[in-house]
Amino acid sequence: MVSLSDPGSLAILFTGLFLGALLKGATGVGLPVIAIPTIAAVYDVRVAVVLLVIPNFFTNIRQIHKYQEHNLKINFARNFALAGIVGAGLGTVLLAYLPLALLNIIIAVVVIFYIALRLFRPEFHLSTNVMQQWELVAGSSAGVLQGAIGLSAPITITFLHACRLPRPTFIFIASLFFASMCLIQLPVQAAFGLMTFDIAILSMLALIPIFAGLPIGERIGRTLSATVFDQIILVLLTSLAAKMLVDAWLSFSL
């Protein structure tokens, strides 16, 4: 049940959204990483996933417009986004039923392996040909996660980071990907009765702290060197892997 009259819950919710917006403004990703656990702590995971769809769409549309000139000349961004739409539709259908513990472990292991690879083989990167070969698999898999748990970053960030894209290109492709998935998430959520009137109102109110935090994060991001940006993404991936392992352990221990 979502309550719009509890000031304590709303304060926690808006603080989490503001901090997530700072991270997204600086790196192009990260809003759900902070917002999903925060909203789930106040309400539950299902509410968190549904509530973030509208803010995700508008914040990513804003960044698409801002960074559109940094798109790759190949059709990578378009194909990656289309694969995400297909995956997100399936993930949304599974939102109420999907057992997540084993999936969390598998994804966390993949992310940890990639982090170890980057630390011990810092020159590692995916070539353009490999990017194109795996874009549909990575995009659809990330879409399933986005639809089911609202957090596709373990795959999205890992894959795009391995491509060694410049920060503006990274932000454009990630933003197009996330915004595209919202186009299928919202109608499917509405069809299954997941998007209620109260959640829709709270979702619109969530835009206030998010749009307050985004420009501050963007100013911070413009001062980051490529090395610092790289390190922030690796720390973010480490946090994601740790969270997924903890979630899986808690699921098995219940």
Side-chain angles (χ1 to χ4, degrees), residues 3-51:
S3 173
L4 302 177
S5 59
D6 182 355
S9 296
L10 292 177
I12 294 172
L13 172 66
F14 284 1
T15 299
L17 290 167
F18 178 78
L19 294 175
L22 287 180
L23 182 58
K24 182 172 181 60
T27 66
V29 292
L31 174 60
V33 176
I34 296 177
I36 290 288
T38 303
I39 300 170
V42 176
Y43 301 110
D44 62 49
V45 173
R46 188 173 293 110
V47 170
V49 174
V50 177
L51 190 152

Coordinates of all heavy atoms in Angstrom, one line a residue, residues 3-51:
S3 N 1.4 5.2 0.7 CA 0.8 6.3 1.4 C 1.4 7.6 1.0 O 2.7 7.7 0.9 CB 0.9 6.1 2.9 OG 0.5 7.2 3.6
L4 N 0.6 8.6 0.6 CA 1.2 9.9 0.3 C 1.1 10.9 1.4 O 1.5 12.0 1.3 CB 0.4 10.5 -0.9 CG 0.3 9.6 -2.2 CD1 -0.6 10.3 -3.2 CD2 1.7 9.4 -2.7
S5 N 0.7 10.4 2.6 CA 0.5 11.3 3.8 C 1.6 11.1 4.9 O 1.5 11.7 5.9 CB -0.9 11.1 4.4 OG -1.0 9.7 4.8
D6 N 2.6 10.2 4.7 CA 3.6 9.9 5.7 C 4.8 10.8 5.4 O 5.6 10.4 4.5 CB 3.9 8.4 5.7 CG 5.0 8.1 6.8 OD1 5.5 9.0 7.4 OD2 5.2 6.9 7.0
P7 N 5.0 11.9 6.1 CA 6.2 12.7 5.8 C 7.5 12.1 5.9 O 8.5 12.4 5.2 CB 6.0 13.9 6.7 CG 5.2 13.4 7.8 CD 4.3 12.4 7.2
G8 N 7.7 11.2 6.9 CA 8.9 10.5 7.1 C 9.3 9.6 5.9 O 10.4 9.6 5.4
S9 N 8.3 8.8 5.4 CA 8.6 8.0 4.3 C 8.9 8.8 3.0 O 9.8 8.4 2.2 CB 7.3 7.1 4.0 OG 7.1 6.2 5.1
L10 N 8.2 9.9 2.8 CA 8.4 10.7 1.7 C 9.8 11.4 1.7 O 10.4 11.5 0.7 CB 7.3 11.8 1.6 CG 5.9 11.3 1.2 CD1 4.9 12.5 1.2 CD2 5.9 10.6 -0.1
A11 N 10.2 11.7 2.9 CA 11.5 12.4 3.1 C 12.6 11.4 2.7 O 13.6 11.7 2.0 CB 11.7 12.8 4.5
I12 N 12.5 10.1 3.2 CA 13.5 9.1 2.8 C 13.5 8.8 1.3 O 14.5 8.7 0.7 CB 13.2 7.8 3.6 CG1 13.4 8.0 5.1 CG2 14.1 6.6 3.1 CD1 12.9 6.8 5.9
L13 N 12.3 8.7 0.8 CA 12.1 8.5 -0.7 C 12.8 9.6 -1.5 O 13.6 9.3 -2.4 CB 10.6 8.4 -1.0 CG 10.2 8.3 -2.5 CD1 10.7 7.0 -3.1 CD2 8.7 8.4 -2.6
F14 N 12.5 10.8 -1.2 CA 13.0 12.0 -2.0 C 14.5 12.1 -1.8 O 15.2 12.5 -2.7 CB 12.3 13.2 -1.6 CG 10.9 13.4 -2.1 CD1 10.3 12.3 -2.9 CD2 10.1 14.5 -1.9 CE1 9.1 12.4 -3.4 CE2 8.8 14.6 -2.4 CZ 8.3 13.6 -3.1
T15 N 15.0 11.8 -0.6 CA 16.5 11.8 -0.4 C 17.2 10.8 -1.3 O 18.2 11.1 -1.9 CB 16.8 11.6 1.1 OG1 16.2 12.6 1.9 CG2 18.4 11.6 1.3
G16 N 16.6 9.6 -1.3 CA 17.2 8.6 -2.2 C 17.2 8.9 -3.6 O 18.1 8.7 -4.4
L17 N 16.1 9.5 -4.1 CA 15.9 9.9 -5.5 C 16.9 11.1 -5.8 O 17.5 11.1 -6.9 CB 14.5 10.4 -5.7 CG 13.4 9.3 -5.7 CD1 12.0 9.9 -5.6 CD2 13.5 8.4 -6.9
F18 N 17.1 12.0 -4.9 CA 18.0 13.1 -5.1 C 19.5 12.6 -5.3 O 20.2 13.0 -6.2 CB 17.9 14.1 -4.0 CG 18.9 15.3 -4.1 CD1 18.7 16.3 -5.0 CD2 20.1 15.3 -3.4 CE1 19.6 17.4 -5.1 CE2 21.0 16.3 -3.5 CZ 20.7 17.4 -4.3
L19 N 19.9 11.7 -4.4 CA 21.2 11.1 -4.4 C 21.4 10.3 -5.7 O 22.5 10.3 -6.3 CB 21.5 10.2 -3.2 CG 21.5 11.0 -1.8 CD1 21.7 10.0 -0.7 CD2 22.7 12.0 -1.9
G20 N 20.4 9.5 -6.1 CA 20.4 8.8 -7.3 C 20.6 9.7 -8.5 O 21.3 9.3 -9.5
A21 N 19.9 10.8 -8.5 CA 20.0 11.8 -9.6 C 21.4 12.4 -9.7 O 21.9 12.7 -10.8 CB 18.9 12.9 -9.4
L22 N 22.0 12.6 -8.5 CA 23.4 13.1 -8.6 C 24.3 12.1 -9.3 O 25.1 12.5 -10.1 CB 23.9 13.3 -7.1 CG 23.4 14.5 -6.3 CD1 24.0 14.5 -4.9 CD2 23.7 15.8 -7.0
L23 N 24.2 10.9 -9.0 CA 25.0 9.8 -9.6 C 24.7 9.7 -11.1 O 25.6 9.6 -11.9 CB 24.8 8.5 -8.9 CG 25.6 7.3 -9.4 CD1 27.1 7.6 -9.3 CD2 25.2 6.0 -8.7
K24 N 23.4 9.8 -11.5 CA 23.1 9.7 -12.9 C 23.6 10.9 -13.6 O 24.0 10.8 -14.8 CB 21.5 9.6 -13.0 CG 21.1 9.4 -14.5 CD 19.7 9.1 -14.6 CE 19.3 8.9 -16.1 NZ 20.0 7.8 -16.8
G25 N 23.5 12.1 -13.0 CA 24.0 13.3 -13.7 C 25.5 13.2 -14.0 O 25.9 13.7 -15.0
A26 N 26.2 12.6 -13.0 CA 27.7 12.6 -13.1 C 28.1 11.5 -14.1 O 29.1 11.7 -14.8 CB 28.3 12.4 -11.8
T27 N 27.4 10.3 -14.1 CA 27.9 9.2 -14.8 C 27.0 8.7 -16.0 O 27.4 7.9 -16.8 CB 28.2 8.0 -13.9 OG1 26.9 7.5 -13.4 CG2 29.1 8.4 -12.7
G28 N 25.7 9.2 -16.0 CA 24.8 8.8 -17.0 C 24.0 7.6 -16.5 O 23.0 7.2 -17.2
V29 N 24.3 6.9 -15.4 CA 23.6 5.8 -14.9 C 23.6 5.9 -13.4 O 24.3 6.7 -12.8 CB 24.3 4.4 -15.3 CG1 24.1 4.2 -16.8 CG2 25.7 4.4 -14.9
G30 N 22.8 5.0 -12.7 CA 22.9 4.9 -11.3 C 21.7 5.3 -10.5 O 21.6 5.1 -9.3
L31 N 20.7 6.0 -11.2 CA 19.5 6.4 -10.4 C 18.8 5.2 -9.8 O 18.5 5.2 -8.6 CB 18.5 7.1 -11.4 CG 17.1 7.5 -10.8 CD1 17.3 8.4 -9.6 CD2 16.3 8.2 -11.8
P32 N 18.5 4.1 -10.5 CA 17.8 3.0 -9.9 C 18.7 2.3 -8.8 O 18.2 1.7 -7.9 CB 17.5 2.0 -11.0 CG 17.6 2.9 -12.2 CD 18.6 3.9 -12.0
V33 N 20.0 2.3 -9.0 CA 20.9 1.7 -8.0 C 20.7 2.2 -6.6 O 20.7 1.4 -5.6 CB 22.4 1.9 -8.4 CG1 23.3 1.3 -7.4 CG2 22.6 1.3 -9.8
I34 N 20.5 3.5 -6.5 CA 20.2 4.1 -5.2 C 18.7 4.1 -4.9 O 18.2 3.8 -3.8 CB 20.8 5.5 -5.1 CG1 22.3 5.4 -5.2 CG2 20.4 6.2 -3.8 CD1 23.0 6.8 -5.2
A35 N 17.9 4.4 -5.9 CA 16.5 4.6 -5.7 C 15.7 3.3 -5.4 O 14.8 3.3 -4.5 CB 15.8 5.4 -6.9
I36 N 16.0 2.3 -6.1 CA 15.3 1.0 -5.9 C 15.4 0.5 -4.5 O 14.3 0.2 -3.8 CB 15.7 -0.1 -6.9 CG1 15.3 0.3 -8.3 CG2 15.2 -1.5 -6.5 CD1 13.8 0.1 -8.6
P37 N 16.6 0.4 -3.9 CA 16.6 -0.1 -2.5 C 16.0 0.9 -1.5 O 15.4 0.5 -0.5 CB 18.2 -0.1 -2.2 CG 18.8 -0.3 -3.5 CD 17.9 0.5 -4.5
T38 N 16.1 2.2 -1.8 CA 15.5 3.2 -0.9 C 13.9 3.1 -0.9 O 13.3 3.1 0.1 CB 15.9 4.6 -1.4 OG1 17.3 4.8 -1.4 CG2 15.3 5.7 -0.4
I39 N 13.4 3.0 -2.1 CA 11.9 2.9 -2.3 C 11.4 1.6 -1.7 O 10.4 1.5 -1.0 CB 11.5 3.0 -3.7 CG1 11.9 4.4 -4.3 CG2 9.9 2.9 -3.8 CD1 11.7 4.5 -5.8
A40 N 12.2 0.5 -1.9 CA 11.8 -0.8 -1.4 C 11.8 -0.8 0.1 O 11.0 -1.5 0.8 CB 12.8 -1.9 -1.9
A41 N 12.7 -0.1 0.7 CA 12.8 0.0 2.2 C 11.6 0.7 2.8 O 11.1 0.4 3.9 CB 14.1 0.7 2.6
V42 N 11.0 1.7 2.0 CA 9.9 2.4 2.5 C 8.6 1.7 2.1 O 7.6 1.6 2.9 CB 9.8 3.8 1.9 CG1 8.6 4.6 2.3 CG2 11.1 4.6 2.3
Y43 N 8.5 1.1 0.9 CA 7.3 0.4 0.4 C 7.7 -1.1 0.2 O 7.8 -1.9 1.1 CB 6.8 1.1 -0.8 CG 6.4 2.5 -0.6 CD1 7.1 3.6 -1.1 CD2 5.3 2.9 0.3 CE1 6.8 4.9 -0.9 CE2 5.0 4.2 0.5 CZ 5.7 5.2 -0.1 OH 5.4 6.5 0.2
D44 N 7.9 -1.5 -1.1 CA 8.4 -2.8 -1.4 C 9.0 -2.7 -2.8 O 8.9 -1.7 -3.5 CB 7.3 -3.9 -1.3 CG 6.1 -3.6 -2.3 OD1 6.4 -3.4 -3.5 OD2 5.0 -3.7 -1.8
V45 N 9.6 -3.8 -3.2 CA 10.4 -3.9 -4.5 C 9.4 -3.6 -5.7 O 9.8 -2.9 -6.6 CB 11.1 -5.2 -4.7 CG1 11.7 -5.3 -6.0 CG2 12.2 -5.4 -3.6
R46 N 8.2 -4.2 -5.6 CA 7.3 -4.1 -6.8 C 6.9 -2.6 -6.9 O 6.9 -2.1 -8.1 CB 6.1 -4.9 -6.5 CG 5.2 -5.0 -7.7 CD 4.0 -6.0 -7.6 NE 4.6 -7.4 -7.5 CZ 4.6 -8.1 -6.4 NH1 4.1 -7.7 -5.3 NH2 5.1 -9.3 -6.5
V47 N 6.6 -1.9 -5.8 CA 6.3 -0.5 -5.9 C 7.5 0.3 -6.4 O 7.3 1.2 -7.3 CB 5.9 0.0 -4.5 CG1 5.8 1.6 -4.5 CG2 4.5 -0.6 -4.1
A48 N 8.7 -0.1 -6.0 CA 9.9 0.6 -6.4 C 10.1 0.5 -7.9 O 10.4 1.5 -8.6 CB 11.1 0.0 -5.7
V49 N 9.9 -0.7 -8.5 CA 10.0 -0.9 -9.9 C 9.0 0.0 -10.7 O 9.4 0.6 -11.7 CB 9.9 -2.4 -10.3 CG1 9.9 -2.5 -11.8 CG2 11.0 -3.2 -9.6
V50 N 7.8 -0.1 -10.3 CA 6.7 0.6 -11.0 C 6.9 2.1 -10.9 O 6.7 2.9 -11.8 CB 5.3 0.2 -10.5 CG1 4.2 1.0 -11.2 CG2 5.1 -1.3 -10.7
L51 N 7.2 2.6 -9.7 CA 7.3 4.0 -9.4 C 8.4 4.7 -10.2 O 8.2 5.9 -10.6 CB 7.5 4.2 -7.9 CG 7.4 5.7 -7.3 CD1 7.0 5.6 -5.9 CD2 8.8 6.4 -7.5

